[in-house]
Amino acid sequence: MSISKKNTAVISVVGCDRVGIIAGVSTLLSENGINIKDISQTILEEIFTMIMIVDLKDIAIENSDIVEKLNKLSDDLGVSITIQHTGLFNAMHRIWEA
């Protein structure tokens, strides 16, 4: 599978389930001009997992600043949040063909 959008990123969130995770992440993204294009969320036992495809074309801040804000939110919510540009995501998750 290859995600080919130039201005997109993959955000993943993993941690113990608690109230406010989706609200916290989506609010931060909205406040910074980042649109959620697709989202998958589930709870396995008490572990919350979410993967988002986001559109960065109208981002209101520098990429390094959004990483810093996501890191702070990660600490505040007690979850792990990562963001990867889809180009990097594709390179890291490429399936080698024979």
Side-chain angles (χ1 to χ4, degrees):
M1 177 180 156
S2 178
I3 305 164
S4 62
K5 303 284 183 182
K6 180 175 144 183
N7 293 316
T8 59
V10 177
I11 295 177
S12 60
V13 182
V14 177
C16 292
D17 187 34
R18 66 181 289 272
V19 172
I21 297 172
I22 296 172
V25 175
S26 61
T27 298
L28 178 82
L29 297 177
S30 174
E31 290 173 347
N32 291 283
I34 300 171
N35 187 39
I36 299 168
K37 302 299 284 181
D38 202 355
I39 184 172
S40 174
Q41 174 270 318
T42 192
I43 299 168
L44 305 169
E45 302 272 328
E46 293 297 315
I47 304 299
F48 175 89
T49 61
M50 178 169 64
I51 298 176
M52 303 169 135
I53 305 297
V54 297
D55 187 344
L56 302 175
K57 73 177 169 91
D58 295 322
I59 190 169
I61 62 174
E62 295 295 321
N63 289 345
S64 59
D65 293 334
I66 196 63
V67 170
E68 185 176 313
K69 287 184 178 205
L70 285 169
N71 286 338
K72 179 173 181 342
L73 181 62
S74 176
D75 290 341
D76 293 347
L77 294 175
V79 297
S80 171
I81 303 174
T82 59
I83 183 169
Q84 295 176 306
H85 190 275
T86 52
L88 176 61
F89 182 87
N90 286 334
M92 290 178 58
H93 299 281
R94 180 169 293 136
I95 298 174
W96 295 98
E97 297 179 7

